Every structure is written in structure tokens, then in C-alpha cells.
Amino acid sequence: MSYAPPLPAAVQARVALPFAICTLIWGSTWFVIGSQLQYVPAAWCIAYRFTLACIAMVAVAKIGGRSLAIGRAGHGLAIMVGVPQFTFNYIFVYSAEEQIASGLVALVSALLIVPNALLGRALLGQAVSRRFLIGSGVAMAGIALLFADGVMRGGGLDAHRTILGVVLSLGGVVAASTANVLQGTRQAKAIPPASLIAWAMAYGAACDIAYALVTAGPPVFSTAPIYLAGLLYLAVAGSAVTFTLYFALIRTIGPARAGYIGVLIPVIAMALSTLFEGYRWTAAAAAGAALAVAGLLVAMRARSPTR
């Protein structure tokens, strides 16, 4: 096993803008999700978001001259990507935001680089370095400290909600990672990203609608301007635009490196939680957040080994 050099300068320059766009948009979507839940049940928020996002992705594919014909195997892959990513992941995420601050959900979700790397090794043969594992361990220790702080702040319902919120967030991480790694397979790379994402969102949205009907009953919708603006932002900018860029990054630099985008997202999300959600910092919470980000940075700087 040998170690690959850092990404070439040309590749770094090519991926810099997509990284920045995904970071800034996704860093704010956590707060927008929380505001949506004040108007419409979580299940229907998810269903509306990815139904609109699917329509936007079809438009992107058509404008780009991409065919939506992906073959039977392509549809199978689209289901395997779409259901974990656009159904299970977001059911966990939206449910977690009903329990804990959106910034905390974002911080836990930053651990995505860990299962991305481990599943990438198991399924794609992409090994990981010792430094990456050490950094990931430090990050998880920081998350654990934040978790303990949330539990210790208040007893009873508050502690229960903190535990539930973190567990749900971790469920979302595992679901998203499964879809991420599938994007790195040869079969996925043979299909235009816009076409695959459009179908993946279609299957995910169909499951979202079924889930909403079963768990939340008949459709509930709000015409409040803030809800409509948030829904449009989440569907177009926070889904169609960002997932197109993010899945292209996975194909270019691999799921482990692409997962590094989650390092800066929690910084933006926690700042918004502090300003608008009244999140109260303690010394333990600050130490946990700092430890988590530091660990992720160590993992990010680890030189990825290759066979």
C-alpha cells in the first residue's frame, strides 16, 4: 500500500468553486429546514422539497442536452441512491431538527467523512490512512462531548430529546454515506450526473410522498411567504444545484475527500443557530465543537493512501 500525492493544482482549482458553493448553501439550509417545520409537518416538507427538486433536475438535464434514458441497471442504481439519500437521510435530518438545534444536527452530520471513507474502502477499494482514523476519532470525541453537554444541561425531556436528536442525526449520516459511495462506482460514472440525480430524486420523492401519507395524513401546505421562499431555496439551491455539484465532486476526487465539505458547514450552521435559534454555548459545548472541527481538519489533511 502506497500513499498518493495531494490533488494536482489543476484539480484543486477545478473543485474549489463547487466546494465553496456547496459549503455556503448547505451551511444555511439547516436553519431554513428548522423554519419550515413551524408551518408544515416534517414529512410533507421533505416530500414537497424533493418533488420540486426533481422537476428542477429534469430541467437541468434537458437544458444540458442530457437524455433521461438510463437503462434498467441505471434505474436500479437510481433507486439505491435516491431512497437512502433523499428519503431516509432527510427523514432522519428533519426529525432530528425537531429535537435539537439545527447547528448541532449539522455538526453531527459533518461526521459523514468517516462512513464515506470506510464504505469507500469496503466497496471501492479506497484505503484510509492512520492519520485519517486519528482525526476522525478526535472529531467523534468532540461530538461525544457536545452530546454529553446537551444531556447534562437539563434532565428529563431535554436529555431525552438531545439523545434522540443525535441518534437521528447519525442515522442520516449512515444513509447519506451509502448513497455517496454508490456515486463513486463505475456504473454511476457511466451515467450523466444530472440524469442519474433526476431519477434518484424522482424515486426518493415518491417514497417521501408515501411516507408522508402514512405518517402525517393528507397533504398539509402553507402559503406563508417565508415558507414558500424557504421551500424554493431548499428545492432549487439546496438540492438541485448542490447535489449536482457534490456528486460531480465525488466522481472527481472520491467520496472520502468530497466528505470534507462537511468541515465548514457546521461553522456556518452553528453561527446561525446562535444568532437566530437562541443556542446557548457552554465551555463544554465550545470545547466539543472545537474538538470536532479540529479532528475533521486533521482527517481532511491526511494523505489518502491508494493501492
Side-chain angles (χ1 to χ4, degrees), residues 181-207:
V181 173
L182 288 173
Q183 276 289 317
T185 62
R186 291 183 179 179
Q187 182 185 359
K189 291 180 179 180
I191 303 173
S195 304
L196 179 59
I197 297 171
W199 279 109
M201 284 185 174
Y203 290 118
C207 292

Side-chain angles (χ1 to χ4, degrees), residues 73-85 182 196 199-200 203-204 207:
H75 281 284
L77 179 63
I79 292 172
M80 290 190 292
V81 170
V83 176
Q85 180 72 69
L182 288 173
L196 179 59
W199 279 109
Y203 290 118
C207 292

Side-chain angles (χ1 to χ4, degrees), residues 65-119:
R66 302 298 185 183
S67 172
L68 291 176
I70 60 175
R72 180 178 299 179
H75 281 284
L77 179 63
I79 292 172
M80 290 190 292
V81 170
V83 176
Q85 180 72 69
F86 303 121
T87 300
F88 291 121
N89 174 31
Y90 281 93
I91 287 173
F92 283 127
V93 166
Y94 277 64
S95 299
E97 290 213 20
E98 292 181 311
Q99 309 300 325
I100 58 178
S102 62
L104 289 179
V105 180
L107 189 56
V108 175
S109 297
L111 291 176
L112 181 67
I113 67 170
V114 180
N116 268 13
L118 297 181
L119 287 177

Side-chain angles (χ1 to χ4, degrees), residues 153-224:
R153 271 196 217 191
L157 179 61
D158 288 340
H160 173 75
R161 293 184 65 176
T162 298
I163 295 171
L164 180 59
V166 171
V167 171
L168 289 169
S169 301
L170 290 173
V173 168
V174 174
S177 181
T178 301
N180 284 186
V181 173
L182 288 173
Q183 276 289 317
T185 62
R186 291 183 179 179
Q187 182 185 359
K189 291 180 179 180
I191 303 173
S195 304
L196 179 59
I197 297 171
W199 279 109
M201 284 185 174
Y203 290 118
C207 292
D208 293 335
I209 293 171
Y211 174 78
L213 287 170
V214 171
T215 61
V220 178
F221 195 74
S222 173
T223 57

Side-chain angles (χ1 to χ4, degrees), residues 14-30 49 90 106 112 180 197 233-234 236-250 253 257-269:
R14 191 165 73 248
V15 303
L17 183 59
F19 257 88
I21 292 173
C22 289
T23 299
L24 292 173
I25 292 177
W26 273 340
S28 63
T29 55
W30 302 93
R49 173 178 178 175
Y90 281 93
L112 181 67
N180 284 186
I197 297 171
Y233 179 72
L234 291 172
V236 179
S239 299
V241 172
T242 47
F243 277 109
T244 299
L245 295 175
Y246 182 61
F247 283 170
L249 285 173
I250 291 175
I253 60 178
R257 279 187 169 123
Y260 301 160
I261 199 170
V263 176
L264 292 177
I265 287 175
V267 177
I268 300 172

